[in-house]
Amino acid sequence: MEKKNGLLTAALLATVLLMGSCSSEDSEMGTPAQSGSPILFSVADVQPRTRTVYEDRLQINWVENDEIGICSPSDNVLPSVEGGPKNTTYKVTALNANGHPHHAEIKPSEENNYLKWGDNLTTPAVFYGAYPAERIVTYPQENSGVFSMKYYTNQECEVYSSENGVYLTKPDMKNAYMMAKNELTPIGDHVLMAFDPIMTTPDITITAGSYEVGTGIIQPVTVTGVSIIMPKKLNSTDLNYKITGLTNGTFTNPRGELQDIADGQESVFIQIDNDGKKYVDLYEGESINLMAFLPPIPQLTGAKIRVHTLGSTDFVKTVEDELQAQSRITIKLPDITPETTKPNNWMSKLDDNTSLKSMSIPAYVCQENTENELQKIEDLFRKGVRAFDAEVFASTKSTGILEWTKIINKSFIDKINSFFTEGKNPNEFVIVWIENTSHAGGIECPNGWIDFPDKITNAKGKIILLETYSNEFYRVNSKIGEKALFSFSEKTADFKLTNSDWTALLNKEAVENQRIYNTIVSSKLQTGCTGIVTIPNAGITFDDTYGDLLLQAIIDCNFKFKH
């Protein structure tokens, strides 16, 4: 295996689709081609090598039922069904075929849907291939060489070993896209294709420092995932990759290029599946290894890796070097004490152009007008709560014989304002709402507080005041009956992830936290958001009401559902 600086070469490994024997000579493969006969396929390695190898720890071989999409725009290749598309799906049906340890058979996934030779057996034919077939949106057309693939920003790694506090995981290899192109004259009935792995693949190891709370009790760091925040993004919801050269032969440089790269920011989120739990508790010195598959953006420098954890913590590492096809990255979390905790300022990691109505925002319903509740708000700020129902801090005053105005108590205003005093938290924002009880004088808006804006850039460093009436949110002092900003529900059974109709879930019962949490972490969606969600017991750690887990799960949605 050829390596550079202890890593695999830029393309990881070339992979081969062989049709028939393991010979590398196209002209000697199989029996002579016949017009109308199927083009036969099998999978093998040329060196011999496995399909894809990621260093010493993770080796991925072809497995039965792996599906590969193959097409040909050439006139002398035809579909099995007249008038059908000239692409089809093949799957691995048998490993170690004919007793060969590096040879597996491929057959059409659907028996009557395959590619066959046309009448012209003297003109070269072009073939394209991509793995996995299920992610293909469109095949190359008329020698364009462009595959369009569904691109998943919400990925997951499954823990398969946790010996001695070292958590090893395996990623979903359906995110490890591979492409191929070959051109040959059909002398035989078999065609040889070698596949290039194209994704940028950071291999991240996170090691915990010590975590000591004020009581002196050692607690673990609970890791819920990792997001890789890229300074460039795809200009499409799909990954469009153009194969620029034949992928057969010695592999030295990538034989393709990513299309439609745009300025901006995009993140890929890696969730953890730890035997059904969507987190791991790392005690001092323990570690977890996670692998991500990023789009093959060239010269990708300045990416940030954010470790998502419960509580008042914020771990972000900037990768100064260019991310390679495989990059090993180690993150040593600092020792955490009450004096070193940092606020979970997650909003500051998002793109300024993010629409507020595409966000997931954890909220809290203030329970009592007391100093203890005000102190709780300060703690919830540190843990990432960014919206509050302030009804218990509101009262009315008379401004005339028949006119009453609803006001928010000064103690609450001062507490919320303190989040931004002296230049603190300039890239965050806070949402506050109270109920409009149809008082003629409306609601008194504190100085500097604003109406609901469209994007983060217009909300940064601001407090947004809203009013509720019936089951809807309005801009403060808007006319009731105007089009509402969005609606709310108190029925947790109605909760779903959506970004088409932003809503608020005003959950009142802590017993419902787990139901909402399970809905979020079990979702395989690539788009969506929770809207505003109120969390009873928000931020209470190591509690069976899931207050801390639900809080972090809602924050994580801003990084995992990006398209």
Side-chain angles (χ1 to χ4, degrees):
M1 184 188 304
E2 299 176 355
K3 298 185 179 181
K4 291 183 180 180
N5 300 323
L7 298 178
L8 298 184
T9 56
L12 302 181
L13 288 176
T15 307
V16 220
L17 268 186
L18 278 179
M19 293 88 190
S21 73
C22 292
S23 168
S24 61
E25 296 295 327
D26 296 339
S27 61
E28 297 178 1
M29 300 182 70
T31 59
Q34 301 292 325
S35 298
S37 65
I39 304 173
L40 306 180
F41 291 86
S42 62
V43 176
D45 305 316
V46 278
Q47 300 259 346
R49 285 178 173 173
T50 51
R51 184 185 80 186
T52 307
V53 176
Y54 291 95
E55 282 289 324
D56 305 316
R57 178 184 63 81
L58 183 64
Q59 178 170 302
I60 307 296
N61 300 316
W62 289 108
V63 296
E64 289 187 13
N65 296 319
D66 269 347
E67 291 197 314
I68 304 152
I70 299 175
C71 77
S72 175
S74 299
D75 292 338
N76 53 343
V77 175
L78 301 175
S80 56
V81 178
E82 185 176 355
K86 294 206 297 181
N87 60 71
T88 191
T89 299
Y90 290 81
K91 68 179 178 180
V92 176
T93 57
L95 303 175
N96 302 324
N98 302 320
H100 196 298
H102 303 290
H103 186 183
E105 291 183 356
I106 282 185
K107 293 184 178 179
S109 297
E110 298 178 6
E111 183 177 354
N112 296 319
N113 188 6
Y114 53 88
L115 297 178
K116 65 181 182 180
W117 296 112
D119 294 333
N120 181 355
L121 299 179
T122 61
T123 302
V126 175
F127 293 88
Y128 294 99
Y131 169 87
E134 65 191 68
R135 298 287 177 85
I136 299 172
V137 178
T138 59
Y139 287 82
Q141 300 292 323
E142 299 179 356
N143 292 317
S144 68
V146 176
F147 270 104
S148 182
M149 309 281 286
K150 296 177 184 176
Y151 168 50
Y152 281 17
T153 61
N154 179 13
Q155 301 175 14
E156 186 171 79
C157 286
E158 180 183 356
V159 175
Y160 69 86
S161 174
S162 57
E163 294 182 7
N164 301 317
V166 177
Y167 290 83
L168 298 178
T169 67
K170 55 184 179 181
D172 181 359
M173 291 304 295
K174 294 293 176 65
N175 296 309
Y177 299 164
M178 299 189 295
M179 305 287 179
K181 178 183 179 181
N182 196 11
E183 183 176 2
L184 76 166
T185 302
I187 297 175
D189 59 359
H190 293 76
V191 179
L192 172 66
M193 298 182 74
F195 275 65
D196 292 348
I198 67 169
M199 304 300 279
T200 299
T201 311
D203 191 41
I204 304 164
T205 299
I206 303 160
T207 304
S210 63
Y211 193 106
E212 184 177 354
V213 297
T215 61
I217 301 173
I218 301 299
Q219 300 283 14
V221 175
T222 300
V223 180
T224 61
V226 167
S227 56
I228 297 92
I229 304 169
M230 297 173 289
K232 294 182 181 179
K233 64 180 182 179
L234 302 183
N235 200 31
S236 167
T237 57
D238 297 320
L239 185 156
N240 298 309
Y241 190 83
K242 182 176 183 179
I243 306 175
T244 56
L246 303 183
T247 56
N248 289 57
T250 302
F251 190 17
T252 55
N253 295 302
R255 274 97 38 120
E257 58 186 27
L258 182 65
Q259 308 291 289
D260 305 322
I261 307 170
D263 292 331
Q265 181 176 301
E266 186 163 63
S267 67
V268 171
F269 185 85
I270 312 304
Q271 184 169 267
I272 298 166
D273 181 3
N274 180 19
D275 194 24
K277 296 189 300 184
K278 302 302 181 180
Y279 60 88
V280 294
D281 291 328
L282 297 183
Y283 288 84
E284 182 174 359
E286 294 185 339
S287 65
I288 184 169
N289 177 268
L290 299 168
M291 182 176 285
F293 295 105
L294 311 181
I297 298 174
Q299 300 178 339
L300 185 59
T301 59
K304 297 180 185 297
I305 298 177
R306 186 171 194 266
V307 183
H308 294 241
T309 64
L310 302 189
S312 304
T313 51
D314 192 13
F315 305 122
V316 179
K317 177 174 181 175
T318 300
V319 183
E320 302 293 348
D321 296 332
E322 179 182 348
L323 287 178
Q324 303 295 322
Q326 186 187 36
S327 296
R328 283 194 181 277
I329 299 167
T330 58
I331 299 177
K332 174 65 167 64
L333 301 182
D335 295 340
I336 302 301
T337 68
E339 291 75 29
T340 61
T341 55
K342 296 180 180 179
N344 190 351
N345 285 355
W346 55 273
M347 287 179 172
S348 63
K349 310 305 185 296
L350 301 175
D351 191 329
D352 286 353
N353 290 316
T354 300
S355 165
L356 266 61
K357 288 192 175 183
S358 69
M359 295 179 66
S360 300
I361 300 178
Y364 176 72
V365 177
C366 298
Q367 298 298 303
E368 54 186 6
N369 185 351
T370 64
E371 183 62 31
N372 285 340
E373 193 76 350
L374 293 173
Q375 284 301 116
K376 182 184 291 186
I377 290 170
E378 191 170 317
D379 180 57
L380 292 174
F381 273 147
R382 288 196 299 270
K383 294 180 178 181
V385 173
R386 291 294 179 268
F388 297 88
D389 182 336
E391 184 62 27
V392 297
F393 287 102
S395 57
T396 59
K397 70 176 182 180
S398 175
T399 56
I401 297 176
L402 298 176
E403 189 168 288
W404 294 78
T405 300
K406 198 160 191 178
I407 63 172
I408 303 174
N409 295 3
K410 184 177 184 302
S411 60
F412 179 85
I413 294 173
D414 290 344
K415 177 60 66 175
I416 300 296
N417 284 341
S418 69
F419 186 59
F420 298 105
T421 57
E422 300 178 354
K424 295 185 299 183
N425 310 307
N427 296 312
E428 305 290 303
F429 65 82
V430 177
I431 297 174
V432 173
W433 68 85
I434 58 176
E435 184 180 358
N436 185 320
T437 49
S438 299
H439 294 297
I443 298 172
E444 185 175 281
C445 185
N447 185 42
W449 293 24
I450 66 170
D451 280 333
F452 194 83
D454 56 347
K455 298 179 181 179
I456 286 180
T457 188
N458 299 318
K460 291 167 62 172
K462 300 291 196 305
I463 301 159
I464 301 163
L465 181 61
L466 299 175
E467 62 181 56
T468 61
Y469 182 78
S470 184
N471 65 337
E472 295 175 323
F473 278 79
Y474 292 86
R475 289 184 172 86
V476 67
N477 293 327
S478 61
K479 294 179 180 178
I480 301 301
E482 289 182 350
K483 184 177 181 181
L485 280 168
F486 51 90
S487 62
F488 70 80
S489 173
E490 297 176 350
K491 298 179 180 178
T492 56
D494 295 339
F495 175 74
K496 60 183 179 179
L497 290 161
T498 177
N499 61 1
S500 59
D501 183 19
W502 210 56
T503 61
L505 174 64
L506 303 188
N507 175 34
K508 294 182 176 182
E509 302 294 335
V511 71
E512 296 293 335
N513 287 347
Q514 184 176 358
R515 181 207 296 265
I516 305 166
Y517 171 81
N518 288 338
T519 299
I520 294 172
V521 299
S522 63
S523 174
K524 303 299 183 184
L525 295 174
Q526 297 300 308
T527 62
C529 66
T530 69
I532 295 172
V533 179
T534 59
I535 310 170
N537 293 351
I540 297 179
T541 56
F542 301 100
D543 182 76
D544 59 7
T545 62
Y546 279 66
D548 55 344
L549 287 169
L550 178 55
L551 169 55
Q552 188 59 45
I554 293 168
I555 292 172
D556 291 349
C557 287
N558 295 284
F559 298 86
K560 64 196 280 190
F561 301 129
K562 297 298 296 180
H563 282 301

